[in-house]
Amino acid sequence: MASESVQQDVFTVLHGQASPIVSRWAYRASDPFAISFSVRRSSDRWIEWLVARDLVIEGLTTPTGIGDIRMAPRRIDGYDVVELEIRSDGGSAVLEVDRDLLAQFVDSTLEIVDLGEEHDHLDIDGAIARLTGSAAGPSTP
């Protein structure tokens, strides 16, 4: 395994706007079921969502998602995009991400952790220790 993480910045179109914004997609083997998706709001401020990797994979080829994040492949003005609808208490937005670039990013995540192997990368004892503030490991008799 060459790397434990991957990150990719992608120009993303906010639906109805002419100028693209920057979105950042990141994946870590230590959190194998999730992809971090961030949108740059200003020069130094990012808004981040955690998205199930399965949702992103499915969103490349079929409409998917319920609740705060929905994804669907679309053809807009001759371009293949994935339309990403995000909602929060502060509002909602529809973003258009180049489908090929998003697929390349997903392929990079699969090189790190293949589908079905996510459980092999989970550190349950470490997660419990972080949540409880304990450094205790497995008990010994």
Side-chain angles (χ1 to χ4, degrees):
M1 182 182 316
S3 175
E4 291 290 315
S5 66
V6 63
Q7 178 177 299
Q8 182 172 330
D9 288 354
V10 177
F11 284 113
T12 304
V13 175
L14 182 60
H15 190 70
Q17 301 293 316
S19 299
I21 59 173
V22 175
S23 65
R24 175 168 291 159
W25 299 78
Y27 180 79
R28 295 183 332 264
S30 61
D31 193 3
F33 291 103
I35 287 176
S36 169
F37 164 72
S38 305
V39 175
R40 181 181 243 162
R41 205 164 150 193
S42 62
S43 62
D44 63 345
R45 186 159 181 246
W46 293 83
I47 299 172
E48 181 181 15
W49 286 267
L50 285 179
V51 183
R53 182 169 72 156
D54 290 348
L55 181 88
V56 176
I57 291 169
E58 190 174 340
L60 291 169
T61 58
T62 188
T64 189
I66 57 173
D68 293 342
I69 300 175
R70 298 173 190 204
M71 301 180 78
R74 302 267 189 254
R75 186 150 181 90
I76 299 176
D77 296 330
Y79 295 99
D80 290 323
V81 301
V82 173
E83 190 175 82
L84 176 62
E85 181 181 356
I86 51 178
R87 297 174 188 227
S88 71
D89 293 339
S92 65
V94 177
L95 307 170
E96 298 163 2
V97 180
D98 182 277
R99 191 178 325 170
D100 289 338
L101 291 176
L102 188 55
Q104 289 172 10
F105 171 76
V106 166
D107 288 346
S108 296
T109 74
L110 296 172
E111 290 175 10
I112 295 171
V113 177
D114 204 4
L115 285 177
E117 295 181 4
E118 293 91 349
H119 289 287
D120 297 341
H121 294 267
L122 290 176
D123 177 11
I124 299 298
D125 291 333
I128 291 170
R130 285 189 300 279
L131 289 172
T132 62
S134 166
S139 61
T140 56

